[in-house]
Amino acid sequence: STMQYYVYILSNSNKNVIYTGVTNDLVRRVYEHKQHLDKTSFTSRYNVENLVYFELTTDIDSAIAREKQIRGWYRKRKEKLIEAKNPNWEDLYKTIL
């Protein structure tokens, strides 16, 4: 079977912090963020645990490139990306379970 890679964006409940990541197991990775497994991590410190956006690719190199691209964007552009698919910034975690 083909590997799948996810580029994902998390936010906190105030929507004032955005985190972009890449993983091959979106459910597990978001769960880890929600459990605050690494107490010293950025996402733990700022309670960044709502999955507000994700996209899928089968190519690891393009996933990593895409994550870097989104990370480099200004906040406004990230907001547009999120809101095109998820206008209310809902936590999409339950939709991937």
Side-chain angles (χ1 to χ4, degrees), residues 33 35-47:
H33 286 294
Q35 296 304 307
H36 300 275
L37 294 185
D38 176 3
K39 299 281 181 261
T40 62
S41 72
F42 176 85
T43 54
S44 278
R45 286 203 307 268
Y46 296 98
N47 287 310

Side-chain angles (χ1 to χ4, degrees), residues 18 21 25 27 52 74 80 84 90:
I18 293 176
D25 186 339
V27 173
V52 292
Y74 286 111
K80 283 200 176 113
E90 283 166 57

Side-chain angles (χ1 to χ4, degrees), residues 61-89:
D61 296 319
S62 64
I64 291 166
R66 177 67 168 158
E67 181 208 18
K68 285 195 175 117
Q69 179 189 45
I70 294 172
R71 279 194 173 189
W73 288 353
Y74 286 111
R75 164 141 190 142
K76 211 78 209 118
R77 190 162 177 195
K78 294 177 192 177
E79 288 175 358
K80 283 200 176 113
L81 180 70
I82 293 164
E83 287 166 7
K85 282 192 182 174
N86 186 4
N88 299 319
W89 293 57

